[in-house]
Amino acid sequence: MQVRHQLLLTGLPMLAVATPAIAQTAQVQLTLPRLKVAEYNRPYVAIWLEKPGMPARTLQIWYDFDMAKNEGTKWLGDVRSWWRASGRTMRFPADGVTGATRAPGKHMVRVPTGQLAPGQYVLAIEAAREVGGREVVRVPFSWPPKPGQTFAASGTSELGAVALAFTR
């Protein structure tokens, strides 16, 4: 099953002030591998954007957000890299960012980029499972991208292939 989501990158620090307006959308495709383990729980997944010298910007956080008394947030700290980068300062559920956990398979997240400031960025994706492992995959890219340019990386345990592509 493929789930599509759309996000809007906001926040003045990530907006450009001197580049022409070119509407582009980033498409992030990620694979959650099916693991053969005794006890499998869907992973918590965080997707965020990093730029040197700027605060990290959370694009998505997938967790069990409909648990009673917001108990799903109890394990968000297990998504350690994201938690240190920006998660611990957030309030949950976060509008436009919070989503449900996903089953193994390919998932696509569409991200309208608006106008990012030119420079080097890193798209970071982290997956962590209760009674399981944790993995971070980072995909560096330059903004603005060349037409048709794609970026890819791959995980080895909790994450499979990750691809970042830009469209107009």
Side-chain angles (χ1 to χ4, degrees), residues 1-162:
M1 176 178 177
Q2 189 175 24
V3 179
R4 294 177 185 246
H5 300 275
Q6 196 164 31
L7 294 175
L8 176 63
L9 286 176
T10 60
L12 292 176
M14 295 285 186
L15 292 176
V17 293
T19 58
I22 300 173
Q24 290 198 340
T25 300
Q27 294 182 350
V28 179
Q29 185 172 20
L30 67 105
T31 303
L32 298 175
R34 182 169 304 281
L35 303 174
K36 293 182 180 184
V37 294
E39 181 180 345
Y40 182 82
N41 296 298
R42 291 180 177 187
Y44 283 18
V45 174
I47 303 171
W48 72 99
L49 196 61
E50 298 174 338
K51 183 175 192 316
M54 304 294 282
R57 185 84 185 152
T58 300
L59 303 175
Q60 293 256 302
I61 178 69
W62 300 347
Y63 70 98
D64 197 357
F65 66 89
D66 59 353
M67 292 180 76
K69 299 179 183 174
N70 213 14
E71 290 182 19
T73 60
K74 179 177 177 182
W75 294 281
L76 286 176
D78 290 349
V79 191
R80 287 182 273 172
S81 296
W82 164 77
W83 185 254
R84 290 183 193 127
S86 73
R88 63 181 163 201
T89 61
M90 294 179 63
R91 291 180 179 240
F92 300 98
D95 285 343
V97 173
T98 296
T101 57
R102 309 288 194 273
K106 289 184 178 180
H107 302 277
M108 183 173 302
V109 179
R110 300 187 73 191
V111 184
T113 56
Q115 296 178 9
L116 295 174
Q120 298 295 314
Y121 290 86
V122 174
L123 177 77
I125 300 174
E126 182 174 16
R129 284 185 304 114
E130 182 181 348
V131 194
R134 181 185 75 81
E135 184 172 31
V136 180
V137 171
R138 288 186 157 77
V139 182
F141 67 96
S142 298
W143 185 266
K146 295 176 183 167
Q149 193 173 15
T150 60
F151 304 88
S154 185
T156 57
S157 58
E158 301 295 325
L159 289 167
V162 174

